[in-house]
Amino acid sequence: MRQALKVEAMVEIVKAGEGEILDVELDVNLQRRNLELAESNRRLLESFGVKAVDFMGSVGSGKTCLIGRLVETLKPEYRIGVIGGDLTTTIDMDFLSCLGVPVVQVNTGRECHLDANLVAKALEKFNLKELDLLFIENVGNIICPADFPLGAHRRVAVVSVVDSPYTIVKHPLTFQTVDVAVLNKLDLAEAVGADVGRLEADIQKINPRLKIVKASCKTGLGIEKLREALNL
Ligand code: MG
Ligand code: ZN
């Protein structure tokens, strides 16, 4: 936790007003088009009876590890596929493919989020008849994925308790738009002096309906709870 300043902070704020952000028109059209494609992805998935879950969170929050744990737990009951978004590497999907499930890597280049169009292209690579469940790992970033629904049935935000204590309050939109929040790396909470109760309270304040799961990928803590929270 940062030390409180002895003097009262005086900060001038510049706020972006309506129409004051460059390319706002393009932005609105882009988001509308994304939403149409997300709805089409959802219809396609549902026509094959596939349920999809989108995971978003910063690099290092533990998305890949959580998905890996879920795959291990759910594999006896579900036929699972994974789509992974990453700027340039295949590190995470290499790891998950070792668990014996079909994976598709989407390399976005410069884009810092997956969008519904990229997911539509990735879906073409699967035999959807042979899937029951699809996990989507978004690009490591907790800001703009919130603006780009992909057609998934559930959205999960992953926050590591090792991250800044302000990660949650700084990203209200993300926590308003997801269904489940995971507080990950709980095994490290004491070592880094994380106030887990405070993080939970921050989430509840932004979205009182959100399901919160305290987890540790390393120990397996919370994986059953996450499964329940996702109705799987
Ligand atoms: Mg990852
Ligand atoms: Zn982005």
Side-chain angles (χ1 to χ4, degrees), residues 80-93:
I80 306 171
V82 185
I83 294 175
D86 197 283
L87 298 186
T88 56
T89 76
T90 61
I91 299 166
D92 295 348
M93 292 308 108

Side-chain angles (χ1 to χ4, degrees), residues 39-230:
E39 278 161 13
S40 133
N41 287 345
R42 174 80 70 103
R43 281 194 298 274
L44 178 69
L45 290 164
E46 283 178 354
S47 71
F48 287 95
V50 180
K51 187 172 176 182
V53 184
D54 174 14
F55 289 79
M56 62 182 93
S58 311
V59 175
S61 56
K63 301 179 293 301
T64 312
C65 189
L66 279 173
I67 292 171
R69 284 279 191 183
L70 284 172
V71 167
E72 283 170 344
T73 307
L74 297 170
K75 226 174 117 185
E77 293 160 62
Y78 294 87
R79 297 169 302 170
I80 306 171
V82 185
I83 294 175
D86 197 283
L87 298 186
T88 56
T89 76
T90 61
I91 299 166
D92 295 348
M93 292 308 108
D94 289 344
F95 167 73
L96 291 175
S97 74
C98 294
L99 301 178
V101 290
V103 304
V104 172
Q105 178 72 61
V106 179
N107 280 139
T108 59
R110 295 168 63 108
E111 266 330 308
C112 44
H113 54 269
L114 286 176
D115 64 34
N117 184 45
L118 290 170
V119 168
K121 282 168 81 175
L123 288 176
E124 290 171 10
K125 307 282 184 197
F126 288 96
N127 184 352
L128 293 175
K129 273 187 218 152
E130 292 177 2
L131 286 190
D132 306 309
L133 186 57
L134 177 72
F135 292 132
I136 304 172
E137 178 175 349
N138 221 308
V139 179
N141 152 22
I142 202 168
I143 303 174
C144 49
D147 282 327
F148 289 86
L150 306 175
H153 299 82
R154 291 275 186 282
R155 307 190 87 188
V156 181
V158 183
V159 177
S160 149
V161 300
V162 177
D163 288 350
S164 159
Y166 309 112
T167 299
I168 290 154
V169 291
K170 285 188 178 190
H171 302 96
L173 180 68
T174 297
F175 294 90
Q176 278 160 19
T177 52
V178 297
D179 307 288
V180 179
V182 178
L183 292 173
N184 195 25
K185 305 195 184 179
L186 220 75
D187 54 298
L188 296 175
E190 214 182 301
V192 298
D195 186 345
V196 178
R198 164 83 187 277
L199 295 174
E200 281 182 279
D202 288 343
I203 295 171
Q204 273 158 353
K205 205 168 160 194
I206 294 168
N207 186 348
R209 294 179 310 280
L210 202 53
K211 292 177 186 169
I212 302 174
V213 177
K214 288 184 274 186
S216 163
C217 249
K218 197 168 169 189
T219 66
L221 172 85
I223 302 303
E224 274 304 316
K225 283 249 165 64
L226 179 56
R227 175 189 182 158
E228 281 167 31
L230 293 169

